[in-house]
Amino acid sequence: MKKILITLFFVLTGFIKNVNAQTTGVPDTLAYLQSIAANKSQYIGQPFSKLMDRLTLPIYD
C-alpha cells in the first residue's frame, strides 16, 4: 500500500509540473520568434549570451 501511494504521489507531481510548463511562457511563439528575426541586426557580432539573456523561451539541452 505504501508503494502505491508513493508511486501515485510521483505520478501526480510529474503531471502537475507538466501542466504548469505548458500554461506559462510566450502566448504566440511564432510571432515572438519573428520579432527576434526582425531585430537580428542587434545581435550580429555580439556574444550569444546577449541573445540568451533576452529570450523568454526556455532553452533545453
Side-chain angles (χ1 to χ4, degrees):
M1 183 69 172
K2 222 179 207 185
K3 289 181 182 180
I4 293 172
L5 289 176
I6 292 172
T7 305
L8 182 63
F9 172 75
F10 285 118
V11 169
L12 290 177
T13 304
F15 176 73
I16 291 170
K17 285 182 182 179
N18 191 21
V19 169
N20 289 338
Q22 293 176 359
T23 59
T24 60
V26 179
D28 187 5
T29 306
L30 180 59
Y32 178 71
L33 292 176
Q34 286 174 339
S35 71
I36 292 173
N39 297 321
K40 66 182 178 185
S41 61
Q42 296 175 359
Y43 304 107
I44 294 176
Q46 301 294 325
F48 185 69
S49 59
K50 182 177 178 182
L51 174 63
M52 287 273 301
D53 291 341
R54 294 198 178 162
L55 288 178
T56 57
L57 293 173
I59 297 177
Y60 299 106
D61 293 339

Coordinates of all heavy atoms in Angstrom, one line a residue:
M1 N 0.8 -1.2 0.0 CA 0.0 0.0 0.0 C 0.9 1.3 0.0 O 0.6 2.2 -0.7 CB -0.9 0.0 1.2 CG -1.8 1.1 1.3 SD -3.1 1.0 0.0 CE -4.2 2.2 0.4
K2 N 2.0 1.2 0.8 CA 2.9 2.4 0.8 C 3.5 2.6 -0.5 O 3.6 3.8 -1.0 CB 4.0 2.1 1.9 CG 4.3 3.2 2.7 CD 5.4 2.8 3.7 CE 5.3 3.6 5.0 NZ 6.4 3.3 5.9
K3 N 3.9 1.6 -1.3 CA 4.5 1.7 -2.6 C 3.5 2.3 -3.6 O 3.9 3.2 -4.4 CB 5.0 0.4 -3.1 CG 6.2 -0.1 -2.4 CD 6.6 -1.5 -2.9 CE 7.8 -2.0 -2.2 NZ 8.3 -3.3 -2.7
I4 N 2.3 2.0 -3.5 CA 1.3 2.5 -4.4 C 1.1 4.0 -4.1 O 1.0 4.8 -5.0 CB -0.1 1.8 -4.2 CG1 0.1 0.3 -4.7 CG2 -1.2 2.5 -5.0 CD1 -1.1 -0.6 -4.4
L5 N 1.0 4.4 -2.9 CA 0.9 5.8 -2.5 C 2.1 6.6 -3.0 O 1.9 7.8 -3.5 CB 0.6 6.0 -1.0 CG -0.7 5.5 -0.5 CD1 -0.8 5.6 1.0 CD2 -1.9 6.3 -1.2
I6 N 3.2 6.1 -2.8 CA 4.4 6.8 -3.2 C 4.5 7.0 -4.7 O 4.8 8.0 -5.3 CB 5.7 6.1 -2.7 CG1 5.8 6.2 -1.2 CG2 7.0 6.7 -3.3 CD1 6.9 5.4 -0.5
T7 N 4.1 5.9 -5.4 CA 4.1 5.9 -6.9 C 3.0 6.9 -7.4 O 3.3 7.7 -8.3 CB 3.8 4.5 -7.5 OG1 4.7 3.6 -7.0 CG2 3.8 4.5 -9.0
L8 N 1.9 6.9 -6.8 CA 0.8 7.9 -7.1 C 1.3 9.3 -6.9 O 1.0 10.2 -7.7 CB -0.4 7.5 -6.3 CG -1.7 8.4 -6.6 CD1 -2.1 8.2 -8.1 CD2 -2.8 8.0 -5.7
F9 N 2.0 9.5 -5.8 CA 2.5 10.9 -5.5 C 3.4 11.4 -6.6 O 3.3 12.5 -7.1 CB 3.2 10.9 -4.1 CG 3.9 12.2 -3.8 CD1 3.2 13.3 -3.5 CD2 5.3 12.2 -4.0 CE1 3.8 14.5 -3.2 CE2 5.9 13.4 -3.7 CZ 5.2 14.5 -3.3
F10 N 4.3 10.5 -7.0 CA 5.3 10.9 -8.1 C 4.6 11.1 -9.4 O 4.9 12.0 -10.1 CB 6.4 9.9 -8.2 CG 7.4 10.0 -7.1 CD1 7.6 9.0 -6.2 CD2 8.1 11.2 -6.9 CE1 8.6 9.1 -5.2 CE2 9.1 11.3 -5.8 CZ 9.3 10.2 -5.0
V11 N 3.6 10.3 -9.7 CA 2.9 10.5 -11.0 C 2.1 11.8 -11.0 O 2.2 12.5 -12.0 CB 2.0 9.3 -11.2 CG1 1.0 9.5 -12.4 CG2 2.8 8.0 -11.5
L12 N 1.4 12.1 -9.9 CA 0.7 13.3 -9.8 C 1.6 14.6 -9.8 O 1.3 15.6 -10.4 CB -0.2 13.3 -8.6 CG -1.4 12.4 -8.7 CD1 -2.2 12.4 -7.4 CD2 -2.3 12.7 -9.9
T13 N 2.7 14.5 -9.1 CA 3.7 15.6 -9.1 C 4.2 15.8 -10.5 O 4.3 17.0 -10.9 CB 4.8 15.3 -8.2 OG1 4.3 15.0 -6.9 CG2 5.8 16.4 -8.1
G14 N 4.5 14.8 -11.2 CA 5.0 15.0 -12.6 C 3.9 15.5 -13.5 O 4.2 16.4 -14.4
F15 N 2.7 15.1 -13.3 CA 1.6 15.7 -14.1 C 1.4 17.1 -13.9 O 1.2 17.9 -14.8 CB 0.3 14.9 -13.8 CG -0.9 15.4 -14.6 CD1 -1.0 15.2 -15.9 CD2 -1.9 16.1 -13.9 CE1 -2.1 15.6 -16.6 CE2 -3.0 16.6 -14.6 CZ -3.1 16.4 -15.9
I16 N 1.4 17.5 -12.6 CA 1.2 18.9 -12.3 C 2.3 19.8 -12.8 O 2.1 20.9 -13.3 CB 1.1 19.1 -10.7 CG1 -0.2 18.4 -10.3 CG2 1.1 20.5 -10.3 CD1 -0.3 18.3 -8.8
K17 N 3.5 19.4 -12.7 CA 4.7 20.1 -13.3 C 4.5 20.3 -14.8 O 4.8 21.3 -15.4 CB 6.0 19.4 -13.0 CG 6.4 19.6 -11.6 CD 7.8 19.0 -11.4 CE 8.2 19.1 -9.9 NZ 9.5 18.4 -9.7
N18 N 4.0 19.2 -15.5 CA 3.8 19.3 -16.9 C 2.8 20.3 -17.3 O 2.9 21.0 -18.3 CB 3.5 17.9 -17.5 CG 3.5 17.8 -19.0 OD1 4.2 18.6 -19.6 ND2 2.9 16.8 -19.5
V19 N 1.7 20.3 -16.6 CA 0.6 21.2 -16.8 C 1.1 22.7 -16.7 O 0.8 23.5 -17.5 CB -0.6 21.0 -15.9 CG1 -1.6 22.1 -16.0 CG2 -1.3 19.6 -16.3
N20 N 1.8 23.0 -15.6 CA 2.3 24.3 -15.4 C 3.3 24.7 -16.5 O 3.3 25.9 -16.9 CB 3.0 24.4 -14.0 CG 2.1 24.3 -12.9 OD1 0.9 24.6 -13.1 ND2 2.5 23.9 -11.7
A21 N 4.1 23.8 -17.0 CA 5.1 24.1 -18.0 C 4.4 24.5 -19.3 O 4.9 25.3 -20.1 CB 6.0 22.9 -18.3
Q22 N 3.2 23.9 -19.6 CA 2.5 24.2 -20.8 C 1.7 25.5 -20.8 O 1.4 26.1 -21.8 CB 1.6 23.0 -21.2 CG 2.4 21.8 -21.5 CD 1.4 20.6 -21.7 OE1 0.2 20.8 -21.6 NE2 2.0 19.5 -22.1
T23 N 1.4 26.0 -19.6 CA 0.5 27.2 -19.5 C 1.3 28.4 -19.3 O 0.7 29.5 -19.3 CB -0.5 27.0 -18.3 OG1 0.2 26.8 -17.1 CG2 -1.4 25.9 -18.6
T24 N 2.6 28.4 -19.1 CA 3.4 29.6 -18.9 C 4.2 29.8 -20.1 O 4.5 28.9 -20.9 CB 4.3 29.5 -17.7 OG1 5.1 28.4 -17.9 CG2 3.5 29.3 -16.4
G25 N 4.7 31.0 -20.3 CA 5.6 31.3 -21.4 C 5.0 32.3 -22.4 O 4.2 33.1 -22.1
V26 N 5.5 32.2 -23.6 CA 5.1 33.2 -24.7 C 3.8 32.7 -25.3 O 3.7 31.5 -25.7 CB 6.2 33.3 -25.7 CG1 5.8 34.2 -26.9 CG2 7.5 33.7 -25.1
P27 N 2.8 33.6 -25.4 CA 1.5 33.1 -25.9 C 1.5 32.8 -27.4 O 0.9 31.8 -27.8 CB 0.5 34.3 -25.6 CG 1.4 35.4 -25.3 CD 2.7 34.9 -24.9
D28 N 2.3 33.5 -28.2 CA 2.4 33.2 -29.6 C 3.8 33.1 -30.0 O 4.5 34.1 -30.2 CB 1.7 34.4 -30.4 CG 1.6 34.0 -31.9 OD1 2.0 32.9 -32.3 OD2 1.2 34.9 -32.7
T29 N 4.3 31.9 -30.0 CA 5.7 31.6 -30.2 C 6.2 32.0 -31.6 O 7.3 32.6 -31.7 CB 6.0 30.1 -30.0 OG1 5.5 29.6 -28.8 CG2 7.5 29.8 -30.1
L30 N 5.4 31.8 -32.6 CA 5.9 32.2 -33.9 C 6.1 33.7 -34.1 O 7.1 34.2 -34.6 CB 4.8 31.7 -35.0 CG 5.2 32.1 -36.4 CD1 6.5 31.4 -36.8 CD2 4.1 31.6 -37.4
A31 N 5.1 34.5 -33.5 CA 5.3 35.9 -33.6 C 6.5 36.4 -32.8 O 7.2 37.3 -33.2 CB 4.0 36.6 -33.1
Y32 N 6.7 35.7 -31.7 CA 7.9 36.1 -30.8 C 9.2 35.8 -31.6 O 10.1 36.7 -31.6 CB 7.8 35.3 -29.5 CG 9.0 35.5 -28.6 CD1 9.1 36.7 -28.0 CD2 9.9 34.5 -28.4 CE1 10.2 36.9 -27.1 CE2 11.0 34.8 -27.6 CZ 11.1 36.0 -26.9 OH 12.2 36.2 -26.1
L33 N 9.3 34.6 -32.2 CA 10.5 34.3 -32.9 C 10.7 35.2 -34.2 O 11.8 35.6 -34.5 CB 10.5 32.8 -33.3 CG 10.6 31.8 -32.2 CD1 10.4 30.4 -32.7 CD2 11.9 32.0 -31.4
Q34 N 9.6 35.6 -34.8 CA 9.7 36.5 -35.9 C 10.2 37.9 -35.5 O 10.9 38.5 -36.2 CB 8.3 36.6 -36.7 CG 8.0 35.4 -37.5 CD 6.6 35.4 -38.1 OE1 5.7 36.1 -37.6 NE2 6.4 34.6 -39.1
S35 N 9.8 38.3 -34.3 CA 10.2 39.6 -33.8 C 11.7 39.6 -33.5 O 12.5 40.5 -33.8 CB 9.5 40.0 -32.6 OG 9.8 39.2 -31.5
I36 N 12.2 38.4 -33.1 CA 13.7 38.3 -32.9 C 14.4 38.3 -34.2 O 15.4 38.9 -34.4 CB 14.0 37.0 -32.1 CG1 13.5 37.1 -30.7 CG2 15.5 36.7 -32.1 CD1 13.6 35.8 -29.9
A37 N 13.8 37.6 -35.2 CA 14.5 37.6 -36.5 C 14.5 39.0 -37.2 O 15.4 39.4 -37.8 CB 13.7 36.6 -37.4
A38 N 13.4 39.8 -36.9 CA 13.3 41.1 -37.5 C 14.4 42.0 -36.8 O 14.9 43.0 -37.5 CB 11.9 41.7 -37.3
N39 N 14.8 41.7 -35.6 CA 15.7 42.5 -34.9 C 17.1 41.9 -34.8 O 17.9 42.2 -33.9 CB 15.3 42.8 -33.5 CG 14.0 43.6 -33.5 OD1 13.8 44.5 -34.3 ND2 13.1 43.3 -32.6
K40 N 17.4 41.0 -35.8 CA 18.6 40.2 -35.7 C 19.9 41.1 -35.8 O 20.9 40.8 -35.4 CB 18.7 39.1 -36.8 CG 18.7 39.7 -38.2 CD 18.7 38.5 -39.2 CE 18.6 39.1 -40.6 NZ 18.5 38.0 -41.5
S41 N 19.7 42.3 -36.4 CA 20.9 43.2 -36.5 C 21.4 43.6 -35.2 O 22.6 43.9 -35.1 CB 20.5 44.4 -37.4 OG 19.5 45.2 -36.7
Q42 N 20.6 43.6 -34.1 CA 21.1 43.9 -32.8 C 22.0 42.9 -32.2 O 22.8 43.1 -31.3 CB 19.9 44.1 -31.8 CG 18.9 45.2 -32.2 CD 17.7 45.2 -31.3 OE1 17.6 44.4 -30.4 NE2 16.8 46.2 -31.5
Y43 N 21.9 41.6 -32.7 CA 22.6 40.5 -32.2 C 23.8 40.1 -33.0 O 24.7 39.3 -32.5 CB 21.7 39.3 -32.0 CG 20.5 39.7 -31.1 CD1 19.2 39.8 -31.7 CD2 20.6 39.9 -29.8 CE1 18.1 40.1 -30.9 CE2 19.5 40.2 -29.0 CZ 18.3 40.3 -29.6 OH 17.2 40.7 -28.8
I44 N 24.0 40.6 -34.2 CA 25.1 40.2 -35.1 C 26.4 40.9 -34.5 O 26.4 42.0 -34.2 CB 24.9 40.7 -36.5 CG1 23.7 39.9 -37.1 CG2 26.1 40.5 -37.4 CD1 23.3 40.4 -38.5
G45 N 27.4 40.0 -34.3 CA 28.7 40.5 -33.8 C 28.7 40.5 -32.3 O 29.7 40.9 -31.7
Q46 N 27.6 40.2 -31.6 CA 27.5 40.2 -30.2 C 27.7 38.8 -29.6 O 27.4 37.8 -30.4 CB 26.1 40.7 -29.7 CG 25.8 42.1 -30.2 CD 26.8 43.1 -29.6 OE1 27.2 43.0 -28.4 NE2 27.1 44.2 -30.4
P47 N 28.1 38.6 -28.4 CA 28.2 37.3 -27.8 C 26.8 36.6 -27.7 O 25.8 37.3 -27.6 CB 28.7 37.5 -26.4 CG 28.8 38.9 -26.2 CD 28.5 39.6 -27.5
F48 N 26.7 35.3 -27.9 CA 25.5 34.6 -27.8 C 24.8 34.8 -26.5 O 23.5 34.8 -26.4 CB 25.7 33.1 -28.1 CG 24.5 32.3 -28.1 CD1 23.6 32.4 -29.2 CD2 24.2 31.4 -27.1 CE1 22.4 31.7 -29.3 CE2 23.0 30.6 -27.2 CZ 22.1 30.8 -28.3
S49 N 25.5 35.1 -25.4 CA 24.9 35.2 -24.1 C 23.9 36.5 -24.1 O 23.0 36.5 -23.4 CB 26.0 35.4 -23.1 OG 26.8 36.5 -23.4
K50 N 24.2 37.4 -25.0 CA 23.3 38.6 -25.0 C 21.9 38.2 -25.5 O 20.9 38.6 -25.0 CB 23.9 39.7 -26.0 CG 23.1 40.9 -26.1 CD 23.7 42.0 -26.9 CE 22.9 43.2 -27.1 NZ 23.5 44.2 -28.0
L51 N 21.9 37.3 -26.5 CA 20.6 36.8 -27.1 C 20.0 35.9 -26.0 O 18.8 36.0 -25.8 CB 20.8 36.1 -28.4 CG 19.6 35.4 -29.0 CD1 18.5 36.3 -29.3 CD2 20.0 34.5 -30.2
M52 N 20.7 35.1 -25.4 CA 20.2 34.1 -24.4 C 19.5 34.9 -23.2 O 18.5 34.5 -22.7 CB 21.3 33.2 -23.9 CG 21.8 32.2 -24.8 SD 20.8 30.7 -24.7 CE 21.0 30.2 -23.0
D53 N 20.1 36.0 -22.8 CA 19.6 36.7 -21.7 C 18.2 37.4 -22.0 O 17.4 37.6 -21.2 CB 20.6 37.8 -21.3 CG 21.8 37.3 -20.6 OD1 21.8 36.1 -20.2 OD2 22.8 38.0 -20.6
R54 N 18.0 37.7 -23.3 CA 16.8 38.4 -23.7 C 15.7 37.4 -24.1 O 14.5 37.8 -24.2 CB 17.0 39.3 -24.8 CG 18.0 40.5 -24.4 CD 17.9 41.6 -25.3 NE 18.7 42.7 -24.8 CZ 19.2 43.7 -25.5 NH1 18.8 43.7 -26.8 NH2 19.9 44.6 -25.0
L55 N 16.0 36.1 -24.2 CA 15.0 35.2 -24.6 C 14.1 34.8 -23.4 O 14.5 34.6 -22.3 CB 15.6 33.9 -25.1 CG 16.2 33.9 -26.5 CD1 16.9 32.6 -26.8 CD2 15.3 34.3 -27.6
T56 N 12.8 34.8 -23.7 CA 11.8 34.4 -22.6 C 11.4 33.0 -22.8 O 10.8 32.4 -21.9 CB 10.6 35.3 -22.6 OG1 10.0 35.2 -23.9 CG2 10.9 36.7 -22.2
L57 N 11.8 32.4 -23.9 CA 11.6 30.9 -24.1 C 12.7 30.1 -23.5 O 13.9 30.5 -23.7 CB 11.5 30.6 -25.6 CG 10.4 31.2 -26.4 CD1 10.6 30.9 -27.9 CD2 9.1 30.6 -26.0
P58 N 12.4 29.1 -22.8 CA 13.4 28.3 -22.2 C 14.1 27.5 -23.2 O 13.5 27.0 -24.2 CB 12.7 27.4 -21.2 CG 11.3 27.3 -21.8 CD 11.0 28.6 -22.4
I59 N 15.5 27.3 -23.1 CA 16.3 26.5 -24.0 C 16.7 25.3 -23.2 O 17.3 25.4 -22.2 CB 17.4 27.3 -24.6 CG1 16.9 28.5 -25.4 CG2 18.4 26.4 -25.4 CD1 18.0 29.4 -25.9
Y60 N 16.4 24.1 -23.7 CA 16.8 22.9 -23.1 C 17.9 22.2 -23.8 O 18.0 22.3 -25.0 CB 15.6 21.9 -23.0 CG 14.4 22.5 -22.2 CD1 13.3 22.9 -22.9 CD2 14.5 22.6 -20.9 CE1 12.2 23.5 -22.2 CE2 13.4 23.1 -20.1 CZ 12.3 23.5 -20.8 OH 11.2 24.1 -20.1
D61 N 18.8 21.6 -23.1 CA 19.9 20.8 -23.7 C 19.4 19.5 -24.2 O 18.6 18.8 -23.7 CB 21.0 20.6 -22.6 CG 21.6 21.9 -22.2 OD1 21.5 22.9 -23.0 OD2 22.3 21.9 -21.2

